[in-house]
């Protein structure tokens, strides 16, 4: 059976993806992600092996566990895009100088869609200025 | 960034997006963005030297292979950390992660071969020379860049 340490779980998708018996179920809504570890009697430890946070252990007895994560809203568009522990983990793994972009923006707290927009805006800024000056 | 974009040549036709979808069976790893009517730019994987997606990947599914930020699908658990670790939003996770692989093992990425406006290239020297020449021309014509 699977035991979950809720203090360690970061709410990623690894365990539910690798489980061959679909005993770990996740549900994403616009606001939160819910993960349920069903009571599992399989002779298998893939979820334990692949957990990035080492939050899972196998124990002889365990009950069904559910953890809900509120998803973090993007600082620009407000769309909820990730669990906070996942973002904190990435933040901790990166050197300080890589956590901000050239404009000083903490990009980790911006959703991937807005990150692409920012990159496109940065790449075209000079060109757009030049072209709008030339056009009547 | 092994695919270099000459933005002034990009016509915003999205041929690179379609070429990428065709080669990778579904999701494109290129995203063409528009700055009003004035400019278009394909947003690509930079194949960063200090790739943050590689730092975030705990199974080594993502790794540096020379200039390329490469990817072995067999090691991916689909955890989604790389998607959140990319500063440019060009790694996706749909069950498994996917991103630009420069169409390896082909020598030239399909988007580069496809671009009808010649805006994409893998030749840093050529891309950089063209930019310098253009800046010089602008300077001669009156200092406008």
């Amino acid at each position: 059976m699977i035991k979950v340490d809720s203090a360690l779980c970061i709410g990623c998708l690894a365990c539910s993806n690798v489980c061959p018996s679909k005993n770990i179920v996740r549900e994403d809504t616009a606001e939160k992600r819910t993960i349920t570890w069903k009571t599992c009697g399989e002779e298998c430890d893939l979820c334990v092996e692949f957990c990035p946070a080492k939050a899972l252990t196998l124990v002889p007895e365990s009950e069904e566990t559910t953890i809900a994560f509120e998803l973090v809203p993007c600082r620009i568009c407000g769309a909820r895009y990730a669990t906070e522990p996942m973002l904190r983990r990435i933040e901790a793994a990166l050197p300080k100088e890589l956590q901000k972009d050239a404009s000083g923006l903490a990009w980790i707290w911006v959703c991937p869609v807005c990150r692409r927009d920012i990159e496109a805006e940065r790449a075209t800024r000079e060109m757009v200025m030049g072209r709008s000056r030339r056009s009547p | 960034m092994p695919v270099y974009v000459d933005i002034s040549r990009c016509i915003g036709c999205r041929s690179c997006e379609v070429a990428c979808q065709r080669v990778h069976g579904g999701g494109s790893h290129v995203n063409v963005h528009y700055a009003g009517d004035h400019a278009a730019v394909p947003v690509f994987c930079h194949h960063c030297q200090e790739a943050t997606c590689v730092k975030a990947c705990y199974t080594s599914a993502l790794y540096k292979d020379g200039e390329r930020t490469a990817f072995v699908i067999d090691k991916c658990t689909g955890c989604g950390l790389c998607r959140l670790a990319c500063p440019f939003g060009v790694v996706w996770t749909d069950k498994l992660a996917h991103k630009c692989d420069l169409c390896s093992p082909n020598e030239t990425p399909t988007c580069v071969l496809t671009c009808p406006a010649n805006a994409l290239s893998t030749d840093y020297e050529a891309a950089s020379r063209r930019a310098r020449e253009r800046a010089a021309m602008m300077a001669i014509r009156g200092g406008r860049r």
Side-chain angles (χ1 to χ4, degrees), chain B residues 4-6 9 118-134:
Chain B
Y4 301 98
V5 188
D6 184 341
R9 288 191 171 190
N118 248 332
L120 304 178
S121 85
T122 47
D123 183 353
Y124 173 76
E125 277 308 317
S128 130
R129 188 175 57 243
R130 215 187 289 147
R132 288 198 305 272
E133 282 171 2
R134 194 152 44 222

Side-chain angles (χ1 to χ4, degrees), chain B residues 16-93:
Chain B
C16 50
E17 267 186 34
V18 177
C20 185
Q21 280 178 358
R22 192 181 72 235
V23 172
H24 294 97
S28 176
H29 309 147
V30 191
N31 246 252
V32 177
H33 283 242
Y34 300 90
D37 289 337
H38 289 299
V41 60
V43 176
F44 270 99
C45 172
H46 290 212
H47 294 270
C48 308
Q49 261 176 357
E50 292 231 19
T52 51
C53 56
V54 172
K55 285 194 201 304
C57 182
Y58 66 103
T59 60
S60 309
L62 282 158
Y63 63 99
K64 286 305 288 185
D65 171 25
E67 256 195 328
R68 199 163 68 98
T69 302
F71 187 65
V72 246
I73 200 87
D74 295 348
K75 288 189 182 174
C76 179
T77 63
C79 70
L81 284 166
C82 53
R83 170 178 164 266
L84 298 174
C86 175
F88 310 107
V90 285
V91 180
W92 287 265
T93 332

Side-chain angles (χ1 to χ4, degrees), chain A residues 25-39:
Chain A
V25 185
R26 66 165 192 266
E27 208 188 311
D28 277 8
T29 64
E31 259 117 53
K32 65 180 182 182
R33 170 173 297 166
T34 316
I35 308 175
T36 303
W37 291 264
K38 295 185 184 169
T39 48

